[in-house]
Amino acid sequence: MPCERKPMRYGHSEGHTEVCFDDTGRFIVTCGNDGDVRIWESLDDDDPKFITVGEKAYSLALKNGKLVTASSNNTVQIHTFPDGDPDGILTRFTTNATHVAFNSIGSRVAAGSSDFMVKVVEVSDSSQQKTLRGHEAPVLSVTFDPKDDFLASASCDGSVVVWNIEEQTQVISWPLLQKSNDVTNAKSLCRLAWQPGMGKFLAVPVETKVHLYERGSWDHVSTLSDDLLAQPINVVSWSPCERFLAAGCVGGLLTVWDVNSKLCVERQKHEKGFTVCSLAWHPSGSHIAYTDTEGCLGLLDGLGTSTADNNRTKVAAKNPAKDYDDLFDDDDDRLMDEGLSDTKSPAKKAVGWDDDDDDFLVPATGRVKNRGAFLDDENSLDTGSLKLGQDKLGDDDNDAGSSVAPAAAPVVPLRPVYEGPVPTPPQKAFQPGSTPAHLTHRFMMWNSVGIVRGYNDEQDNAIDVEFHDTAVHHAMHLTNSLGHTVADLSQEAVLLACPSTEELASKLQCLHFSSWDTNKEWMVDLPKGEDVRALCLGQGWAAVATSTLMIRLFSIGGVQRELFSLPGPVVCMAGHGEQLLVVYHRATGFDEEQALGVQLLQLSRKRRQLISGEPLPLSQKSYLSWLGFTAQGTPCYVDSDGVVRMLNRSLGNTWTPVCNTRETCKSKSDHYWVVGVHENPQQLRCIPCKGSRYPPTLPRPAVAILPFKLPLCQTTTEKGQMEEQFWRSVLFHDHYSFLSSSGYEIDEDAQNQSQKEQQELLMKMFALSCKLEREFRCVELAEMMTQNVVTLAIRYASRSRRMALAQRLSEIALEKSNQMQEEEQEEQEEEPEYSSTRRSSGYGHTDVTAGGRYSRRQNQQEEQEDEEERGEELMEEEDRQEMEPEEATETKKRVNPFAKEAGSPIKPSPTPIGKMGRANPFKVPGSGKMSASSGQPRVTNILDNMTSSKKSAQLSSSGGKPSKSPILKPLAPKPKTKTQSTLLQMAATKTANKKVQENTEQAANLQKQPDTPPPGPPADNSENKRPKTGFQLWLEENRKSILADNPDLEETDVIKEAMGRFRTLSAEERLSWTERAKGQSGDAADLKKRKRAEGGEGLESENEKAEADESSAKKKSSLDPSSKLSVFAFNQN
Amino acid sequence: MDASEVEFLAEKEMVKIIPNFSLDKVFLIGGDLGPFNPGLPIDVPVWLALNLKQRQKCRIIPPEWMDVEKLEEMRDLERKEDMFTPVPSPYYMELTKLLLNHASDNIPKADEIRTLVKDIWDTRIAKLRLSADSFISQQEAYAKLDNLTLMEINTIRAFLLDTLNCMYKLRSNLQ
């Protein structure tokens, strides 16, 4: 008889509790020390009705809609049930009553009291009382004979007495119990139980055994015991089918015996081992409710299936036997006794059965036979789980087994408990941000947009929609005639759905309030037999998960879109922008765990699955309680243990716990009901709920904000704190890269801010480790830093006289720069492809802006790389000439003018003149953006960078041009490779180094003039400030040969080709080129400076010219690599 | 100083509101306010809360003490004690009046709260009169009263000063 023990739940305050079922079995009714009687619709009922009956309730009994309670004011009162209206006082005692009981038909109530008396009162007329005196101590319990003749009571004086009610006399008294002076001191509550129906037996719990006394003869006919029962039995109760007897003991063990066989068929341990002080069978016999002295309520479920099965088999297969049984039950008590005593010992039993096979017609044997069969059933039912040797026999051959198996049973005590993993009931589908559907007033949705409330009481069935931001839409009140149960809300629409009824199909209703036409509503019927389970709204789409394991997508206007199947029943869904997150049951969970899977889909133009059905990690024994996205679009969820987890896209789409809401709860039963997550600022918005999991609709709950905290170790220490801050910052700013990669606009200031914050934290940790003499750790930290911060770290190290550390750090810096360069090159190769894919998706004008955004991001990346590169340069320089620290920071702040384009993917295309007509991604947003951003201090746009570069070029010239002049020209003609241009930036920014550079400039310039006439002046200009790399030199020398080989190559292709060739050179060769490059940067000349200034002026004038003449042809000509501009510039020189 | 001035001072008290609009930080002489996020509680001065409320831009969350049970407790204590008991807020009367007049729909059991605060007020004013009476009748030179709010002082000031002046005159004439 495998049964399931449901988790206990809090019912009453600590102390004695009692439980019973109502007549229909619909409600569980409990009373406790808090003086309330609670009426539970089920164990999961979160909001039980309650009736206050007094300060304390000691006992209760329920029959025919009358609830009788013994309360602390020494009365026994009646309340109507289930309304709970007081219906008078039945009787009074001089002290409190300890136990009340109804008779079988509910006409009389017996009450035992601490004043040694037992009273029997007519329910209809409380004046008709019978008082049974004779006990010499407080009465522990009372029970009626089902035939209403007798009454049994147990008392603290150690006696169990049977009374004749009419005569008010003792029939028999057994001194069975230990004596005590009060109920509270009694070892056992000794709740007696009379077998229902014929009332053949009276069950008396005596210590660890249950004695059965026969009615009439009052003989002790048998004893039920179990090896595992070590502590006194508190309470016994008969099953409604009269066959089983359940007992609950002080140690929390619950035992069920089959009285016929006297075998223990079920054992369950209370989950915390508290004393079971009351238990009650459901009228169907399928489950037992029990309560403990800590006020908790529990349920044993699943008894019904096996007992019912047994009953059925018994009835079906052994009809004659059943008849005999009845016969026997009615008339032949005596024989039964013999039968029972006969079968007391296992050996005898076996013999008895052997006999039975022969003789079928003797009632007693019929009974036994029947019992054997029943046991057989029992065994075969259990075999699957039991794996006891005996079961095999029972299984193999029923006839043989019937004789052997039961014989073996008592020897090896039957373990009816299946001890392996128990499957968890799968959690039901829900809408994140909603409260349970059974409530009359509930939240159907609370999200970052607004609140949908559902009312479903007598007068009103309505839905209220309210928006946090009234600018979105005004509040709405809808009558809920269709009975919608699930809802979602977005900036565009309200989506509602109702389950199907017998006539009506499941409906989906969408109030598309943001629609610009007059029709703001649409409705869709789902196919017959398909029910909506969960739904969600995204930007421009709606998704509905149905009972047929399907997800249907709709456009927000009501066009049906894709549909696909889910691998399991849906749990919940969430949408944000173009992302759809679905959680479903992947498999059956065991031991209270849920086995959930998650899918994340991107519903943009390029549909794809980002997470394909991976398991969703949950805390142990918890279930999913909220699912959604952060305001920035990162998937997030909360489990019932209050742990918030967020997707970490940079760590292979893993889930990182970012907060445990339970840690901030004051009491164990408090919870936080999450309504939203924000990454920037880092906020977890939730509603604190006192003593429940979700808030009531009234009074209107207020949102609270919780901070995030990664569960890192030792966060009390400074180190731990900084580590936590760093990783939290990294995690919570991860969304920038995702957003920009999917083409959203991002707040660059915030992003830079976050990067700065992270680097600052790294630097702090570095300093801390330095202080703690942890140099290895310093190096580890340095590896996480960006290039320029590493240089700072090097300075820090050298200043604190850690030369070894500084040495290592510089190695790291070198390594980093090399890596960077390699990456850049790779990137360059990849880029054309990248940009082309982007372009191929072209959506006209919007694409251009998106492209602009994209390239801006790209720039940023470049910028950083360049910065790092620059940092490296600085480092090298530091060796040669002690550089000013300020400079380093200065360079950091500065923006590299040309690196951008060099790195940006689109750069190569604009070079050819003929292609000017084609959209230059920089150009289109450029003209608009220029004017817009001209006032902005920070330059993130390439064009802005251009201006700044120009400025730097003009530094020495008088009055730098305001940045608004069109600077497209100098940008376009750049033929140089990326390496070159990155170096250029350095030059542009490193004004302090100018003197040193000057020579280089000159040298480079001089060299360039003859060699490469094509390159445009700006490139030249800035280029000559830097020493050339080996590759550049090599390229200059070999350009012609390349061009000769491939005359039709464009500039970019030339560089690519050149790069390829340079790579094929041997290491020595390359080295020699590098040497040469180094050799070139040797001497200084002020001359160059002037020249450059003039060049800048020339540029400027050229720009002005261009400004005046806006024809593209003109631009083209000026953009030509061999443009007049360069000639002009050099001429001036 | 008259009552409206005291009320003006009370309007500087902070109160929690739930805005239904979105606005960046506003920089004011008295300090920065915001940012305002729809649906997210935020502390603002009463004057702003009332202004926003009148424009239906927010819901006001009543201060913690503005709760029937707490006020009942306070009223009972006030009645029991002979001395003035500490009040929940130095501007309890003003705040109650302002909030209940303008935002009674956001305050549960507004009527009960109004009655309770009035009760407390009446009790305290009665005590104040009583102490003024004993002060004068015993011809004391000074008296010390704790836990008085500005509004209460303000109510009795005009009367008490005039009375004392008058009595001084009478007494000096007498001699």
Side-chain angles (χ1 to χ4, degrees):
Chain A
M1 196 192 268
C3 76
E4 184 198 347
R5 195 190 66 205
K6 297 277 182 72
M8 302 290 288
R9 60 162 303 148
Y10 175 79
H12 293 274
S13 56
E14 208 174 294
H16 178 74
T17 50
E18 265 190 37
V19 64
C20 67
F21 281 94
D22 78 324
D23 299 336
T24 59
R26 255 189 76 202
F27 301 107
I28 306 172
V29 186
T30 60
C31 74
N33 240 358
D34 47 12
D36 285 349
V37 171
R38 278 171 223 264
I39 301 163
W40 312 76
E41 281 186 37
S42 70
L43 196 64
D44 302 323
D45 187 355
D46 282 316
D47 186 24
K49 282 212 301 185
F50 66 89
I51 307 166
T52 306
V53 296
E55 262 174 37
K56 284 182 176 185
Y58 292 102
S59 179
L60 88 169
L62 178 62
K63 205 141 223 162
N64 303 342
K66 299 232 186 269
L67 176 72
V68 173
T69 52
S71 68
S72 52
N73 56 0
N74 305 345
T75 58
V76 175
Q77 347 170 19
I78 308 184
H79 288 81
T80 58
F81 182 87
D83 304 324
D85 303 324
D87 199 14
I89 288 174
L90 208 54
T91 183
R92 286 175 200 279
F93 291 96
T94 53
T95 176
N96 62 281
T98 53
H99 192 203
V100 290
F102 266 109
N103 66 356
S104 55
I105 53 167
S107 62
R108 288 200 275 196
V109 169
S113 154
S114 294
D115 63 5
F116 310 175
M117 282 198 291
V118 176
K119 284 185 184 175
V120 179
V121 193
E122 293 289 330
V123 175
S124 51
D125 180 7
S126 57
S127 60
Q128 289 193 32
Q129 294 194 357
K130 292 197 167 64
T131 310
L132 310 173
R133 294 168 206 271
H135 280 302
E136 289 158 355
V139 178
L140 283 168
S141 76
V142 289
T143 183
F144 268 108
D145 161 29
K147 291 183 183 163
D148 236 7
D149 296 334
F150 302 108
L151 182 136
S153 66
S155 161
C156 290
D157 60 15
S159 63
V160 174
V161 178
V162 178
W163 310 81
N164 185 320
I165 299 171
E166 288 310 311
E167 296 164 14
Q168 301 180 35
T169 52
Q170 283 192 13
V171 178
I172 191 164
S173 172
W174 299 287
L176 293 170
L177 313 172
Q178 280 203 345
K179 288 189 184 180
S180 60
N181 57 2
D182 190 41
V183 177
T184 51
N185 298 330
K187 277 218 167 143
S188 150
L189 288 175
C190 194
R191 292 277 191 255
L192 310 169
W194 217 303
Q195 191 175 24
M198 297 317 298
K200 220 177 306 162
F201 299 116
L202 171 66
V204 181
V206 180
E207 294 289 320
T208 63
K209 296 184 172 64
V210 179
H211 289 192
L212 293 182
Y213 291 91
E214 193 201 3
R215 185 174 189 272
S217 71
W218 311 118
D219 287 338
H220 175 196
V221 288
S222 66
T223 305
L224 301 173
S225 65
D226 185 46
D227 299 344
L228 292 184
L229 273 176
Q231 280 167 296
I233 294 171
N234 235 353
V235 48
V236 293
S237 175
W238 288 90
S239 73
C241 66
E242 307 170 29
R243 168 145 7 89
F244 300 104
L245 183 74
C249 85
V250 171
L253 198 68
L254 292 159
T255 318
V256 180
W257 285 281
D258 179 357
V259 176
N260 297 353
S261 63
K262 295 201 291 298
L263 288 182
C264 174
V265 293
E266 182 63 62
R267 285 187 202 89
Q268 282 290 336
K269 188 95 179 111
H270 183 289
E271 61 185 27
K272 293 206 182 81
F274 295 147
T275 301
V276 174
C277 58
S278 176
L279 56 83
W281 286 81
H282 188 266
S284 73
S286 60
H287 41 273
I288 297 178
Y290 59 98
T291 56
D292 62 32
T293 51
E294 299 295 315
C296 292
L297 170 67
L299 202 64
L300 288 185
D301 205 352
L303 294 160
T305 50
S306 48
T307 48
D309 278 354
N310 289 332
N311 281 337
R312 237 175 284 130
T313 45
K314 181 177 164 182
V315 171
K318 307 271 178 181
N319 243 338
K322 172 78 180 158
D323 289 343
Y324 287 132
D325 269 354
D326 289 345
L327 211 81
F328 173 73
D329 282 349
D330 291 343
D331 309 325
D332 256 352
D333 286 359
R334 202 64 235 173
L335 266 175
M336 181 58 197
D337 272 346
E338 277 167 19
L340 275 171
S341 47
D342 263 346
T343 50
K344 248 182 218 162
S345 80
K348 267 188 193 167
K349 214 195 270 177
V351 173
W353 275 320
D354 282 340
D355 290 342
D356 294 342
D357 285 345
D358 302 328
D359 192 354
F360 213 44
L361 287 173
V362 179
T365 52
R367 173 77 176 197
V368 174
K369 168 77 184 174
N370 175 21
R371 192 189 309 137
F374 166 66
L375 273 172
D376 244 0
D377 283 349
E378 200 66 51
N379 286 337
S380 46
L381 268 177
D382 286 343
T383 11
S385 49
L386 283 179
K387 310 269 184 270
L388 290 177
Q390 70 198 37
D391 296 321
K392 233 194 243 165
L393 292 169
D395 238 357
D396 289 342
D397 186 312
N398 254 348
D399 268 352
S402 65
S403 56
V404 183
V411 180
V412 183
L414 190 61
R415 305 265 164 205
V417 195
Y418 166 60
E419 281 172 3
V422 181
T424 328
Q427 92 175 94
K428 288 198 183 101
F430 69 99
Q431 286 293 101
S434 69
T435 53
H438 64 80
L439 302 173
T440 52
H441 290 204
R442 70 178 194 116
F443 291 113
M444 293 171 81
M445 175 57 63
W446 184 319
N447 60 19
S448 55
V449 179
I451 304 168
V452 182
R453 268 172 305 199
Y455 300 99
N456 185 13
D457 46 24
E458 302 87 47
Q459 66 243 43
D460 208 8
N461 190 354
I463 292 174
D464 268 349
V465 184
E466 197 185 303
F467 297 87
H468 294 315
D469 191 343
T470 43
V472 178
H473 197 259
H474 58 78
M476 290 187 270
H477 181 85
L478 321 163
T479 49
N480 188 6
S481 50
L482 289 167
H484 292 302
T485 52
V486 285
D488 196 8
L489 180 64
S490 78
Q491 304 271 3
E492 302 172 310
V494 185
L495 191 64
L496 300 158
C498 60
S500 61
T501 57
E502 274 170 25
E503 325 61 276
L504 291 169
S506 180
K507 277 189 174 58
L508 184 70
Q509 187 180 13
C510 179
L511 307 175
H512 182 207
F513 52 76
S514 71
S515 160
W516 45 261
D517 68 3
T518 48
N519 235 335
K520 307 266 185 205
E521 192 180 328
W522 53 270
M523 207 183 277
V524 165
D525 277 11
L526 293 187
K528 209 167 165 50
E530 198 169 328
D531 257 329
V532 174
R533 288 277 187 263
L535 46 79
C536 70
L537 280 167
Q539 198 178 351
W541 54 270
V544 177
T546 65
S547 53
T548 52
L549 308 189
M550 248 199 284
I551 289 190
R552 297 171 177 274
L553 294 177
F554 296 84
S555 77
I556 201 68
V559 180
Q560 298 199 44
R561 282 174 50 180
E562 299 89 335
L563 75 166
F564 59 94
S565 284
L566 267 185
V570 72
V571 176
C572 59
M573 295 203 293
H576 181 276
E578 288 160 338
Q579 301 175 81
L580 169 64
L581 186 64
V582 189
V583 171
Y584 57 89
H585 287 289
R586 175 166 56 82
T588 308
F590 283 92
D591 283 341
E592 296 170 57
E593 312 266 5
Q594 300 284 343
L596 304 181
V598 60
Q599 287 190 352
L600 179 63
L601 291 106
Q602 183 94 28
L603 300 173
S604 53
R605 277 166 195 279
K606 207 178 142 201
R607 319 262 149 108
R608 60 206 170 110
Q609 202 166 19
L610 299 176
I611 301 180
S612 48
E614 273 148 47
L616 187 74
L618 290 174
S619 306
Q620 282 220 318
K621 306 201 170 179
S622 69
Y623 52 89
L624 191 65
S625 62
W626 188 82
L627 179 78
F629 286 88
T630 64
Q632 285 74 18
T634 310
C636 234
Y637 66 90
V638 186
D639 62 30
S640 58
D641 274 5
V643 179
V644 184
R645 289 189 182 76
M646 204 165 86
L647 187 71
N648 191 348
R649 295 189 200 262
S650 59
L651 192 63
N653 285 343
T654 50
W655 298 91
T656 308
V658 291
C659 180
N660 188 350
T661 60
R662 296 307 299 279
E663 274 171 7
T664 36
C665 288
K666 282 185 200 91
S667 115
K668 214 174 146 191
S669 51
D670 289 358
H671 292 84
Y672 281 97
W673 194 65
V674 175
V675 294
V677 182
H678 286 238
E679 287 179 75
N680 189 23
Q682 296 180 12
Q683 291 178 335
L684 179 65
R685 299 183 181 181
C686 46
I687 295 169
C689 307
K690 247 192 170 151
S692 67
R693 283 196 172 270
Y694 44 83
T697 53
L698 280 174
R700 209 188 147 97
V703 178
I705 289 173
L706 290 184
F708 291 105
K709 191 180 174 217
L710 297 190
L712 254 57
C713 306
Q714 289 186 311
T715 44
T716 47
T717 63
E718 198 182 354
K719 172 174 167 283
Q721 254 167 26
M722 281 195 287
E723 283 162 349
E724 195 266 338
Q725 273 177 34
F726 173 71
W727 286 111
R728 180 149 48 86
S729 174
V730 169
L731 181 63
F732 277 82
H733 293 103
D734 193 32
H735 63 268
Y736 287 122
S737 56
F738 167 73
L739 284 181
S740 53
S741 72
S742 47
Y744 288 98
E745 195 155 356
I746 58 168
D747 181 359
E748 276 145 9
D749 284 348
Q751 191 184 11
N752 294 335
Q753 191 71 36
S754 73
Q755 270 164 4
K756 208 176 134 208
E757 179 193 321
Q758 285 161 22
Q759 295 303 324
E760 265 171 23
L761 279 165
L762 278 176
M763 200 59 216
K764 274 190 210 165
M765 285 194 265
F766 179 86
L768 184 72
S769 318
C770 258
K771 227 178 275 169
L772 297 172
E773 314 249 317
R774 294 268 184 191
E775 299 197 355
F776 192 86
R777 200 179 279 167
C778 289
V779 172
E780 285 174 330
L781 287 168
E783 269 161 12
M784 289 194 275
M785 294 178 185
T786 57
Q787 193 72 46
N788 44 47
V789 183
V790 173
T791 58
L792 282 179
I794 293 171
R795 266 211 319 281
Y796 185 94
S798 49
R799 272 192 199 160
S800 53
R801 290 167 212 272
R802 294 174 200 279
M803 287 312 162
L805 177 62
Q807 188 61 40
R808 280 189 189 278
L809 289 180
S810 60
E811 274 166 31
I812 289 176
L814 261 176
E815 207 174 288
K816 273 201 170 176
S817 70
N818 288 341
Q819 249 175 23
M820 208 66 71
Q821 225 147 10
E822 266 167 44
E823 269 167 33
E824 260 169 47
Q825 277 176 358
E826 272 165 35
E827 214 170 89
Q828 205 176 25
E829 275 152 38
E830 282 166 19
E831 266 155 16
E833 193 193 338
Y834 196 8
S835 60
S836 72
T837 54
R838 193 182 53 77
R839 212 167 277 154
S840 67
S841 66
Y843 2 78
H845 176 70
T846 43
D847 185 39
V848 178
T849 50
R853 248 179 257 137
Y854 164 77
S855 59
R856 220 185 310 156
R857 181 189 80 89
Q858 191 75 19
N859 292 340
Q860 198 123 14
Q861 210 173 315
E862 289 298 325
E863 189 183 336
Q864 199 180 330
E865 281 163 17
D866 290 331
E867 238 169 77
E868 273 152 35
E869 212 165 296
R870 223 180 307 140
E872 185 219 5
E873 290 291 330
L874 290 179
M875 269 254 313
E876 284 168 11
E877 228 116 293
E878 225 169 358
D879 297 355
R880 277 176 275 152
Q881 47 172 92
E882 278 296 313
M883 236 192 34
E884 284 295 302
E886 282 74 31
E887 197 183 15
T889 48
E890 193 182 25
T891 24
K892 222 195 297 171
K893 270 185 272 165
R894 224 51 114 27
V895 194
N896 346 352
F898 287 92
K900 269 55 257 237
E901 305 94 67
S904 78
I906 322 99
K907 184 225 110 198
S909 60
T911 1
I913 310 160
K915 297 220 168 156
M916 271 320 278
R918 201 154 143 234
N920 176 353
F922 291 112
K923 210 168 177 180
V924 182
S927 50
K929 227 149 224 175
M930 267 323 287
S931 53
S933 61
S934 59
Q936 287 176 1
R938 178 80 171 109
V939 274
T940 34
N941 192 317
I942 337 126
L943 293 167
D944 294 9
N945 296 339
M946 286 300 302
T947 17
S948 78
S949 82
K950 201 179 66 155
K951 258 190 219 155
S952 69
Q954 295 166 354
L955 265 184
S956 46
S957 78
S958 58
K961 256 264 155 177
S963 51
K964 61 175 180 271
S965 66
I967 352 154
L968 290 164
K969 256 171 285 159
L971 151 75
K974 268 223 299 99
K976 288 287 157 196
T977 62
K978 166 179 252 167
T979 11
Q980 268 177 315
S981 39
T982 41
L983 293 172
L984 302 190
Q985 276 103 48
M986 313 241 340
T989 49
K990 268 173 74 180
T991 40
N993 271 357
K994 210 169 272 167
K995 288 236 166 117
V996 195
Q997 312 287 326
E998 236 69 306
N999 341 335
T1000 342
E1001 277 171 41
Q1002 192 178 27
N1005 242 348
L1006 288 173
Q1007 203 196 346
K1008 194 157 277 182
Q1009 253 169 325
D1011 273 3
T1012 56
D1020 219 351
N1021 233 351
S1022 29
E1023 181 183 28
N1024 53 23
K1025 291 180 234 159
R1026 288 304 302 158
K1028 300 207 168 181
T1029 63
F1031 172 68
Q1032 276 169 296
L1033 287 175
W1034 182 85
L1035 174 67
E1036 277 156 18
E1037 216 131 285
N1038 291 284
R1039 175 183 290 273
K1040 285 211 176 117
S1041 70
I1042 294 169
L1043 279 172
D1045 287 353
N1046 310 288
D1048 51 348
L1049 277 187
E1050 287 173 6
E1051 192 58 45
T1052 46
D1053 296 330
V1054 171
I1055 292 161
K1056 246 194 263 176
E1057 172 71 23
M1059 215 178 311
R1061 289 192 190 192
F1062 186 70
R1063 274 191 199 164
T1064 57
L1065 293 178
S1066 71
E1068 294 97 71
E1069 271 176 299
R1070 265 185 277 177
L1071 198 68
S1072 72
W1073 279 107
T1074 323
E1075 292 293 305
R1076 274 172 65 180
K1078 273 186 190 163
Q1080 276 192 343
S1081 54
D1083 43 347
D1086 287 6
L1087 182 71
K1088 217 68 248 171
K1089 197 174 195 172
R1090 213 183 342 120
K1091 188 188 94 182
R1092 208 165 48 89
E1094 278 162 350
E1097 258 171 332
L1099 238 181
E1100 207 177 293
S1101 61
E1102 178 64 26
N1103 286 344
E1104 273 163 344
K1105 204 168 126 197
E1107 196 173 15
D1109 178 356
E1110 287 186 2
S1111 81
S1112 61
K1114 182 84 190 178
K1115 273 183 198 167
K1116 263 184 244 168
S1117 69
S1118 63
L1119 285 169
D1120 194 296
S1122 54
S1123 71
K1124 284 171 216 155
L1125 175 60
S1126 63
V1127 177
F1128 181 54
F1130 285 110
N1131 279 351
Q1132 287 235 329
N1133 188 29
Chain B
M1 199 182 217
D2 62 11
S4 62
E5 284 172 292
V6 181
E7 191 178 275
F8 177 76
L9 291 178
E11 283 180 358
K12 271 194 194 151
E13 287 290 288
M14 296 303 255
V15 68
K16 237 186 205 31
I17 61 162
I18 297 178
N20 59 18
F21 60 96
S22 163
L23 186 71
D24 255 352
K25 243 183 183 176
V26 278
F27 303 99
L28 302 176
I29 298 173
D32 300 349
L33 295 176
F36 297 90
N37 288 311
L40 214 58
I42 185 176
D43 278 322
V44 296
V46 171
W47 60 265
L48 183 59
L50 294 180
N51 184 295
L52 291 173
K53 174 71 196 171
Q54 279 168 339
R55 291 191 285 153
Q56 303 198 323
K57 293 276 190 196
C58 75
R59 276 188 306 119
I60 295 181
I61 300 176
E64 230 161 73
W65 54 266
M66 206 175 276
D67 171 76
V68 171
E69 273 175 35
K70 282 187 185 143
L71 287 174
E72 264 172 3
E73 219 169 88
M74 236 170 279
R75 178 196 60 187
D76 294 343
L77 188 69
E78 189 69 58
R79 284 182 177 166
K80 210 169 72 190
E81 298 275 325
D82 286 335
M83 310 292 275
F84 291 95
T85 54
V87 282
S89 152
Y91 300 104
Y92 73 98
M93 190 63 194
E94 300 90 308
L95 289 182
T96 315
K97 192 156 175 297
L98 286 170
L99 295 185
L100 288 180
N101 282 355
H102 295 103
S104 54
D105 50 334
N106 293 152
I107 300 171
K109 300 187 182 169
D111 290 336
E112 279 178 61
I113 287 170
R114 200 189 296 268
T115 321
L116 281 167
V117 172
K118 188 85 174 70
D119 282 352
I120 295 175
W121 172 262
D122 286 345
T123 320
R124 290 171 70 90
I125 292 298
K127 274 186 198 173
L128 199 56
R129 284 207 201 96
L130 210 66
S131 59
D133 179 56
S134 66
F135 175 67
I136 288 164
S137 63
Q138 290 171 26
Q139 302 206 356
E140 295 288 347
Y142 72 95
K144 184 184 154 191
L145 296 174
D146 285 340
N147 296 327
L148 275 183
T149 66
L150 193 54
M151 189 58 115
E152 286 156 356
I153 296 170
N154 206 45
T155 352
I156 197 113
R157 182 190 287 122
F159 164 75
L160 194 64
L161 290 185
D162 285 351
T163 324
L164 290 177
N165 276 337
C166 207
M167 283 175 58
Y168 174 72
K169 260 184 230 162
L170 290 173
R171 278 204 192 109
S172 48
N173 287 343
L174 204 68
Q175 281 158 8

